């Protein structure tokens, strides 16, 4: 198959490990929701229209937009709708495994609790009808059966996407609220919740506030990923490294000593190129720390962060890496496949994903590519 690099980056199977639900809303849906609330007099549509349409937002503007998202998506029905659409959009990008993260929210006016918010998310996963969605922990046997049926038995091919959920703690939350999220994650382990994320405006909140909840999650055996180093805060970055989470997002503002520690600890990094450039964490893709970590063979995975907010897609993030750093098709497929090692799902899912990649390698014509160690 003779595909150009952009088509190649779209065609290869991909694994998304850092995507926020509300940051992944389609622009068209956002405009529609804003218009609807404008008509009801909840917001002034003209005031928010330009924010929705704006390109190249700064970090404070992104958090302004997040506040808008949270006004627009405060009822169960909308949460269900955006979840469905987000999953369909990732599947259309040939994402075969998506770890979708979201902050469970309370909204008394709408009778919403953190639990009912998550139920609305699950309803969204259940309502996807354009692709097969696997989100409850599945046995290896089921995985293998589906891998075979979609690839070799000549049946009508239907896309399949594995979904796992991460519950986010927002840095605005209290220790008590964060604890509630951990308990909910434990309760929802059988509904595809595989871990915890710490996110939110990086200049708000203290590490000490979240630490008890994160320790509680660790004690429960829940894997953790942390937004780290979005702003230069040495004390916090060092405390996060000391905590030794399973993965870290961003890691932009580290000093030499912290880079050394990150590398020696081999903490896998969720790389979000467009997000970091748009929010001015790095001057350009060319100067992104991806290249240093990649050359050092540090574990990493390309992610979108907020494809809606930053007008990107996972295919586009792969393409940016390929053209900026001169990587070839085989390199890109290997990079995508390496992400299997960092998913929070069980070994049955990892085995299934390995087979998906081997099948893709055959289908896309890279039979002689050497095996990833
Ligand atoms: P939600 O958790 O589904 O509501 O997704 C949106 C939320 O994700 C935002 O309100 C932030 O708390 C968080 N978030 C998204 N992108 C970023 C980022 O780049 N840095 C920190 N937090 C983020
Ligand atoms: Zn993020």
């Amino acid at each position: 198959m003779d595909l150009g690099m952009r088509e190649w980056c779209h065609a290869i199977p991909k694994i998304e490990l850092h995507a926020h639900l509300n940051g992944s809303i389609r622009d068209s849906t956002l405009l529609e929701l804003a218009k609807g609330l404008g008509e009801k007099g909840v917001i002034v549509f003209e005031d928010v229209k330009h924010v929705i349409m704006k390109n190249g937002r700064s970090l404070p503007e992104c958090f302004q937009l997040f506040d808008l998202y949270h006004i627009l998506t405060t009822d169960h029905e909308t949460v269900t709708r955006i979840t469905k659409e987000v999953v369909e959009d990732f599947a259309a990008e040939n994402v075969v495994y998506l770890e979708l993260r979201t902050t469970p929210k309370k909204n008394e006016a709408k009778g919403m609790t953190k639990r009912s918010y998550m139920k609305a998310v699950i309803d969204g996963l259940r309502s996807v009808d354009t692709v097969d969605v696997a989100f409850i922990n599945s046995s290896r046997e089921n995985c293998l059966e589906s891998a075979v049926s979609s690839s070799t038995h000549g049946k009508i091919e239907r896309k399949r996407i594995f979904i796992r959920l991460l519950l986010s703690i927002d840095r605005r939350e209290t220790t008590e609220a964060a604890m509630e999220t951990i308990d909910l994650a434990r309760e929802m382990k059988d509904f595809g919740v595989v871990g915890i994320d710490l996110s939110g405006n990086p200049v708000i909140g203290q590490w000490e506030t979240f630490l008890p909840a994160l320790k509680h999650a660790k004690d429960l055996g829940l894997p953790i990923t942390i937004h780290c180093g979005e702003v230069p805060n040495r004390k916090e970055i060092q405390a996060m490294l000391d905590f030794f989470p399973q993965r870290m997002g961003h890691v932009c503002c580290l000093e030499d000593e912290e880079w050394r520690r990150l590398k020696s600890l081999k903490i896998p990094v969720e790389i979000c190129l467009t997000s970091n450039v748009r929010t001015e964490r790095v001057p350009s893709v060319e100067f992104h720390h991806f290249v240093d970590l990649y050359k050092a063979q540090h574990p990493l995975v390309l992610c979108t962060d907020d494809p809606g907010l930053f007008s990107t897609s996972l295919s586009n993030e792969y393409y940016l890496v390929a053209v900026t750093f001169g990587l070839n098709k085989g390199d890109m497929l290997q990079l995508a496949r390496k992400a299997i090692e960092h998913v929070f799902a069980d070994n049955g899912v990892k085995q299934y994903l390995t087979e998906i990649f081997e099948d893709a390698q055959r289908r896309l014509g890279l039979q002689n590519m050497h095996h990833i160690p």
Side-chain angles (χ1 to χ4, degrees):
M1 229 181 282
D2 192 18
L3 298 177
M5 187 53 92
R6 197 173 268 290
E7 292 75 28
W8 178 260
C9 290
H10 177 80
I12 58 174
K14 290 171 289 295
I15 289 174
E16 169 67 87
L17 300 185
H18 186 145
H20 300 264
L21 173 61
N22 276 279
S24 307
I25 305 174
R26 292 175 188 163
D27 281 350
S28 56
T29 299
L30 210 50
L31 271 177
E32 192 190 315
L33 294 172
K35 233 181 205 162
L37 285 195
E39 280 158 15
K40 285 185 193 156
V42 180
I43 58 169
V44 179
F45 179 60
E46 288 306 316
D47 285 356
V48 297
K49 193 175 159 192
H50 72 284
V51 190
I52 298 175
M53 310 288 273
K54 192 174 176 196
N55 247 330
R57 302 168 184 115
S58 65
L59 193 59
E61 282 167 343
C62 289
F63 283 99
Q64 266 171 15
L65 199 54
F66 279 129
D67 289 341
L68 174 63
Y69 287 170
H70 295 162
I71 301 170
L72 300 178
T73 62
T74 41
D75 62 86
H76 295 106
E77 199 182 300
T78 308
V79 171
T80 297
R81 171 187 173 173
I82 61 168
T83 305
K84 175 181 189 285
E85 292 179 353
V86 166
V87 169
E88 288 176 352
D89 291 350
F90 274 108
E93 286 291 315
N94 291 317
V95 169
V96 291
Y97 175 94
L98 164 64
E99 245 165 55
L100 187 61
R101 57 186 76 186
T102 193
T103 321
K105 297 168 190 75
K106 272 191 178 129
N107 180 1
E108 279 171 19
K110 296 276 166 74
M112 184 186 276
T113 62
K114 286 192 173 190
R115 188 175 288 103
S116 73
Y117 174 92
M118 286 312 301
K119 185 182 175 300
V121 170
I122 304 279
D123 286 347
L125 299 180
R126 288 204 166 110
S127 65
V128 174
D129 46 21
T130 53
V131 290
D132 283 340
V133 173
F135 74 93
I136 309 280
N137 294 345
S138 34
S139 68
R140 182 173 146 67
E141 289 70 28
N142 287 342
C143 295
L144 283 180
E145 192 189 311
S146 55
V148 170
S149 70
S150 66
S151 59
T152 57
H153 283 180
K155 294 182 184 171
I156 295 171
E157 217 171 286
R158 198 170 140 83
K159 269 190 185 163
R160 178 168 236 247
I161 182 166
F162 267 83
I163 311 283
R164 293 293 183 267
L165 299 168
L166 304 180
L167 302 197
S168 302
I169 295 169
D170 188 318
R171 296 181 61 110
R172 285 181 293 201
E173 291 185 289
T174 60
T175 303
E176 199 187 8
M179 281 288 190
E180 194 188 334
T181 297
I182 307 300
D183 288 332
L184 184 58
R186 173 173 55 178
E187 208 184 287
M188 294 190 65
K189 265 185 159 178
D190 290 338
F191 287 91
V193 174
V194 290
I196 295 295
D197 159 55
L198 174 67
S199 53
N201 192 335
V203 298
I204 291 178
Q206 302 292 321
W207 171 249
E208 291 69 31
T209 309
F210 322 116
L211 189 56
L214 294 173
K215 276 187 178 155
H216 181 43
K218 209 178 223 183
D219 291 344
L220 293 171
L222 281 164
I224 296 161
T225 177
I226 291 179
H227 281 62
C228 173
E230 286 176 275
V231 290
N233 179 344
R234 293 206 70 187
K235 200 167 149 255
E236 184 180 272
I237 292 168
Q238 285 169 2
M240 287 175 167
L241 288 165
D242 288 343
F243 183 74
F244 192 39
Q246 275 77 4
R247 296 197 310 248
M248 282 183 159
H250 299 302
V251 295
C252 298
C253 306
L254 273 57
E255 301 276 341
D256 287 351
E257 184 198 325
E258 291 136 22
W259 283 121
R260 275 194 292 276
R261 277 203 74 207
L262 177 85
K263 286 179 183 165
S264 74
L265 291 169
K266 293 192 165 54
I267 300 174
V269 176
E270 300 154 359
I271 299 278
C272 307
L273 295 168
T274 300
S275 163
N276 296 158
V277 173
R278 283 282 172 91
T279 56
E280 297 166 20
R281 301 299 106 194
V282 296
S284 67
V285 174
E286 200 187 336
F287 295 105
H288 195 280
H289 44 283
F290 163 83
V291 67
D292 175 55
L293 292 175
Y294 183 76
K295 282 186 183 155
Q297 298 191 340
H298 187 84
L300 51 83
V301 48
L302 299 185
C303 303
T304 55
D305 202 10
D306 300 289
L309 183 65
F310 299 121
S311 311
T312 189
S313 65
L314 195 53
S315 308
N316 187 51
E317 297 300 300
Y318 274 75
Y319 178 70
L320 285 176
V321 161
V323 295
T324 310
F325 303 110
L327 302 191
N328 65 30
K329 291 178 174 179
D331 297 330
M332 295 317 294
L333 187 57
Q334 288 225 32
L335 189 58
R337 181 173 168 161
K338 274 281 201 188
I340 299 174
E341 294 167 20
H342 314 305
V343 307
F344 287 167
D346 59 38
N347 287 337
V349 176
K350 287 185 183 176
Q351 180 58 36
Y352 167 81
L353 294 173
T354 303
E355 285 162 31
I356 289 280
F357 275 89
E358 277 170 8
D359 181 52
Q361 210 162 302
R362 278 191 297 273
R363 263 189 310 111
L364 294 167
L366 280 182
Q367 290 91 335
N368 297 327
M369 203 176 91
H370 55 84
H371 206 282
I372 294 162

